[in-house]
Amino acid sequence: MDNNRPIGIFDSGIGGTSIWTAINQLLPNEKTIYLADSKNAPYGQKSKAEIVSLSKKNTEFLLDMDCKLIVVACNTATTNAIQELRGKYNVPFIGIEPAIKPAATNSKTQTIGILATQGTLNSALFHKTTEKFQQTKIIEQVGHGLVQLIENGKINSSEMKQLLHSYLTPMIEANIDYLVLGCSHYPYLIPQIKNILPSHIHIIDSGEAVAKQTQNILKEKVGFSIAKENKPVFYTNSNPKVLSEILKNKYTVIEKDF
Ligand code: DGL
């Protein structure tokens, strides 16, 4: 079964490009359309109803572009809206959730840390996941301000360094041996995080798992692309320069109001 239609990927902003990178590496023949809703970022402090409504708007944009599958490359949108999306649209959705399971299963200290948005940590879906790992102590920390700094191109700023220190120090003191990055923006902070954490603490994000799941769904339900020309397309509704920079200026970014 061949299917040359594109895969649609959306996030509240530029962070989901970390997921796009994992998908593009695993599935280089697939055409991808990435949507950064940076005008409305961050989603993390918004109500569930607002997140559902923005996620529907993003999905409709991608469906208008004839996408065969939608990847919700945002933990906040997945944990708050994926059920509603699956209920409304007749297309497969793949979401991203914090990788609590591998961290809790492999932790020797039975203590893990999670850095995520308020929207993710407060969601019913996240609570359902953590309930399964009651033996593990989970230190939850909202990454207040991190997404805004990334969206403003301030990944390497002293403000960022300070915030990360204040969020991670209590986790180190609590003896975590795994840190879960529960927001698709945060993989861009791994170099700074590594400067703060002792080297025995593992850092996990969900990029590869989402890429593998995308591959599985294409294989089982949707079909792979066999097209020769598969240039990715990136759309943003605010600040194209920051999106272009995070992609190392290698791809064309289109600014469009949506
Ligand atoms: N990338 C989004 C996530 O994974 C960021 C959320 C936000 O916009 O606050 O949760």
Side-chain angles (χ1 to χ4, degrees), residues 11-12 15-16 41-45 73-77 117 120 147 182-185:
D11 178 36
S12 62
Y43 283 9
Q45 313 287 336
C74 174
N75 292 259
T76 313
T117 69
T120 295
V147 169
C183 170
S184 57
H185 282 69

Side-chain angles (χ1 to χ4, degrees), residues 6 19 29 61 74 83 107 109 125 167 207 210 224 228 233 237:
I19 309 298
N29 290 333
F61 182 99
C74 174
Q83 270 177 342
S107 172
T109 60
L125 202 59
Y167 299 155
V210 172
F224 291 106
K228 298 243 158 40
V233 184
N237 50 15

Side-chain angles (χ1 to χ4, degrees), residues 131-182:
E131 267 169 24
K132 293 183 200 145
F133 301 99
Q134 301 210 355
Q135 309 293 334
T136 307
K137 189 168 174 197
I138 303 176
I139 317 271
E140 297 178 14
Q141 174 65 54
V142 175
H144 294 291
L146 301 180
V147 169
Q148 289 94 320
L149 286 175
I150 297 169
E151 288 290 321
N152 290 321
K154 293 185 177 167
I155 290 182
N156 292 308
S157 60
S158 58
E159 267 165 291
M160 179 67 85
K161 208 169 152 187
Q162 261 176 8
L163 285 179
L164 286 174
H165 261 283
S166 68
Y167 299 155
L168 298 174
T169 303
M171 295 191 190
I172 300 169
E173 285 169 1
N175 201 21
I176 64 160
D177 58 356
Y178 277 82
L179 171 67
V180 177
L181 301 182

Side-chain angles (χ1 to χ4, degrees), residues 105-119:
T105 313
N106 293 311
S107 172
K108 303 258 184 314
T109 60
Q110 295 209 314
T111 311
I112 65 171
I114 168 155
L115 197 57
T117 69
Q118 190 153 17

Side-chain angles (χ1 to χ4, degrees), residues 54-116:
L54 291 168
S55 299
K56 284 182 180 166
K57 165 188 73 74
N58 298 336
T59 298
E60 283 168 20
F61 182 99
L62 292 169
L63 291 180
D64 284 348
M65 304 241 156
D66 199 28
C67 288
K68 61 181 174 182
L69 166 88
I70 309 277
V71 178
V72 183
C74 174
N75 292 259
T76 313
T78 299
T79 51
N80 285 277
I82 201 153
Q83 270 177 342
E84 287 77 358
L85 297 177
R86 287 189 172 129
K88 185 169 162 82
Y89 304 101
N90 190 20
V91 66
F93 284 90
I94 293 174
I96 170 168
E97 281 181 67
I100 294 293
K101 186 176 174 187
T105 313
N106 293 311
S107 172
K108 303 258 184 314
T109 60
Q110 295 209 314
T111 311
I112 65 171
I114 168 155
L115 197 57

